[in-house]
Amino acid sequence: MAHQAHAYHMVDPSPWPLTGAIAALLMTSGLAVWFHFHSTTLMTLGLILLLLTMHQWWRDIIREGTFQGHHTPPVQKGLRYGMILFITSEVFFFLGFFWAFYHSSLAPTPELGGCWPPTGITPLDPFEVPLLNTAVLLASGVTVTWTHHSIMEGERKQAIQSLTLTILLGLYFTALQAMEYYEAPFTIADGVYGSTFFVATGFHGLHVIIGSTFLAVCLLRQIQYHFTSEHHFGFEAAAWYWHFVDVVWLFLYVSIYWWGS
Amino acid sequence: MAARLLLRSAVQAAVTRRASPAVALSRRDGGIPTDEEQATGLEKKIMNAMKTGTDPYNILKPKEYAGSKSDPHLVPSITNKRIIGCVCEEDNTAVVWFWLHEGEAQRCPSCGSHYKLVPHELPH
């Protein structure tokens, strides 16, 4: 019995924002404790609390939207704005690391040998595994678009197959990149080249893992009939995020791997 | 290896698309439910109301009226009065606020536009 005259969702009181804030506190202070007192207990506790918070908060959102019907058109519009703004903030996050890279590489200091790549650094060949990684992510962009069209056209089997393929491609990228990290002839400690390379590609890799996880959750939901052919914003948000991850890789590839070699 | 996988799935997709009828049906019985079948709660109520042309939850933009005596602004209200904020001219920063009561149309004390309260069914 709705007694409101508006289409918005007045959310019930929830403990998850508080547990999330506590998790953030425990993780940050735990990081400092780890650095100074060699104990990872506090940080691990924070991490567990963070995972529990994410699981329960997003589970509640799925309950409110899919099972209780609170995600009316205006509510969905707000969720769209929210995801777009979040992705925009992530764009700025990566912009910082690209700034750092270009700052150091456009005018290499004498300490580096006045050249880029710096003296002593053997960069990875951009036309080997990095090029394969590019193809893998571009292909995953195609398959996730395929998934979207399948959902809109009511094709359940194709949606599940193409989404699974997308996730497998994402995992393939992660595995290849992990191998590259292991085999690389330079480390994060190798001057500003190592710092810019591993921080930028490392954060990108983390976002690939996050994106793959988001898509995997969508796969489970799709299998369980959560999405309709008209209303499937959770999936759209995951697809937007995945395309964003792909675009960041393209910039990384062209700037750091290719121009930077 | 990835290229072969992609090629295979691309071929499969192309073949499947040609085989199925290219009709713009909302339901193809491909196994994905439609909102018609699965929407629930407020989302379903709004969906059904939109079909009959009503807007019980005031989602759509209010209709435009001239504001004259014969074409007053019609203001829906779930009670017998509602606050009006009249921006007499575009870009005015001083909004004219007043209560609009049920009954005869009232006029904005500043620009004279006519406003009339109309009862709005509280969705329940």
Side-chain angles (χ1 to χ4, degrees):
Chain A
M1 282 297 153
H3 298 288
Q4 57 190 59
H6 61 81
Y8 296 100
H9 183 201
M10 306 303 284
V11 190
D12 292 331
S14 162
W16 312 130
L18 179 62
T19 61
I22 294 172
L25 174 66
L26 295 186
M27 284 197 303
T28 46
S29 49
L31 195 66
V33 164
W34 183 30
F35 290 163
H36 293 276
F37 306 113
H38 304 287
S39 162
T40 55
T41 312
L42 197 62
M43 189 176 67
T44 310
L45 198 57
L47 201 60
I48 291 170
L49 189 55
L50 176 70
L51 291 169
L52 284 172
T53 300
M54 292 193 296
H55 172 72
Q56 292 173 110
W57 195 338
W58 284 323
R59 178 208 61 191
D60 280 355
I61 293 173
I62 292 171
R63 285 174 173 177
E64 291 159 5
T66 303
F67 297 125
Q68 296 183 327
H70 284 292
H71 289 180
T72 61
V75 172
Q76 209 191 124
K77 194 156 168 236
L79 292 169
R80 285 175 190 275
Y81 276 129
M83 192 65 196
I84 287 168
L85 290 171
F86 173 64
I87 291 176
T88 305
S89 77
E90 295 249 79
V91 167
F92 282 106
F93 179 70
F94 277 97
L95 231 49
F97 296 120
F98 277 100
W99 182 357
F101 168 73
Y102 277 112
H103 175 91
S104 300
S105 59
L106 283 168
T109 62
E111 291 87 348
L112 304 173
C115 54
W116 194 275
T119 308
I121 296 281
T122 41
L124 301 170
D125 186 341
F127 299 109
E128 294 204 347
V129 173
L131 185 58
L132 173 59
N133 272 344
T134 305
V136 167
L137 282 187
L138 286 173
S140 71
V142 171
T143 54
V144 81
T145 305
W146 178 11
T147 307
H148 192 192
H149 284 271
S150 302
I151 292 175
M152 291 190 290
E153 289 163 30
E155 297 281 354
R156 174 184 164 79
K157 200 169 77 138
Q158 284 199 42
I160 290 170
Q161 285 177 346
S162 54
L163 188 48
T164 306
L165 189 51
T166 307
I167 295 164
L168 287 175
L169 287 167
L171 294 173
Y172 187 33
F173 175 95
T174 304
L176 285 167
Q177 194 69 327
M179 185 213 70
E180 280 282 273
Y181 270 31
Y182 185 72
E183 300 283 343
F186 53 86
T187 73
I188 196 173
D190 284 321
V192 76
Y193 183 90
S195 299
T196 51
F197 181 91
F198 284 107
V199 169
T201 62
F203 270 119
H204 174 261
L206 176 65
H207 283 69
V208 171
I209 292 167
I210 292 168
S212 304
T213 309
F214 196 170
L215 288 167
V217 168
C218 287
L219 179 61
L220 290 172
R221 294 186 65 199
Q222 162 61 19
I223 289 170
Q224 303 206 290
Y225 300 94
H226 285 201
F227 300 132
T228 71
S229 45
E230 296 97 24
H231 189 170
H232 43 263
F233 177 64
F235 168 77
E236 286 184 69
W240 288 352
Y241 195 77
W242 192 249
H243 287 304
F244 155 71
V245 161
D246 187 8
V247 169
V248 170
W249 170 259
L250 294 174
F251 278 96
L252 280 174
Y253 180 72
V254 167
S255 305
I256 296 183
Y257 285 89
W258 196 352
W259 178 83
S261 69
Chain B
M1 178 212 161
R4 260 183 277 128
L5 259 176
L6 180 62
L7 195 62
R8 206 178 309 143
S9 38
V11 169
Q12 187 191 24
V15 168
T16 314
R17 211 143 281 171
R18 250 178 268 132
S20 56
V23 188
L25 285 174
S26 62
R27 175 158 179 81
R28 280 186 184 220
D29 218 343
I32 295 184
T34 59
D35 270 351
E36 189 58 47
E37 295 159 351
Q38 196 161 285
T40 182
L42 189 56
E43 189 185 355
K44 181 175 187 178
K45 262 199 255 171
I46 287 172
M47 182 180 76
N48 289 332
M50 289 289 188
K51 273 191 261 176
T52 66
T54 59
D55 182 21
Y57 294 92
N58 301 297
I59 290 174
L60 303 171
K61 206 175 84 155
K63 282 206 269 289
E64 295 207 15
Y65 303 95
S68 61
K69 189 164 180 196
S70 50
D71 186 28
H73 295 285
L74 298 179
V75 178
S77 174
I78 57 175
T79 59
N80 60 354
K81 63 182 194 296
R82 191 173 184 187
I83 295 178
I84 301 289
C86 187
V87 181
C88 305
E89 273 166 46
E90 198 178 345
D91 299 332
N92 273 6
T93 51
V95 176
V96 178
W97 302 99
F98 56 96
W99 279 105
L100 177 65
H101 297 268
E102 72 178 344
E104 247 183 60
Q106 287 166 230
R107 302 187 67 175
C108 166
S110 170
C111 68
S113 297
H114 294 75
Y115 292 89
K116 178 153 174 57
L117 202 76
V118 290
H120 181 86
E121 181 73 20
L122 175 68
H124 55 88

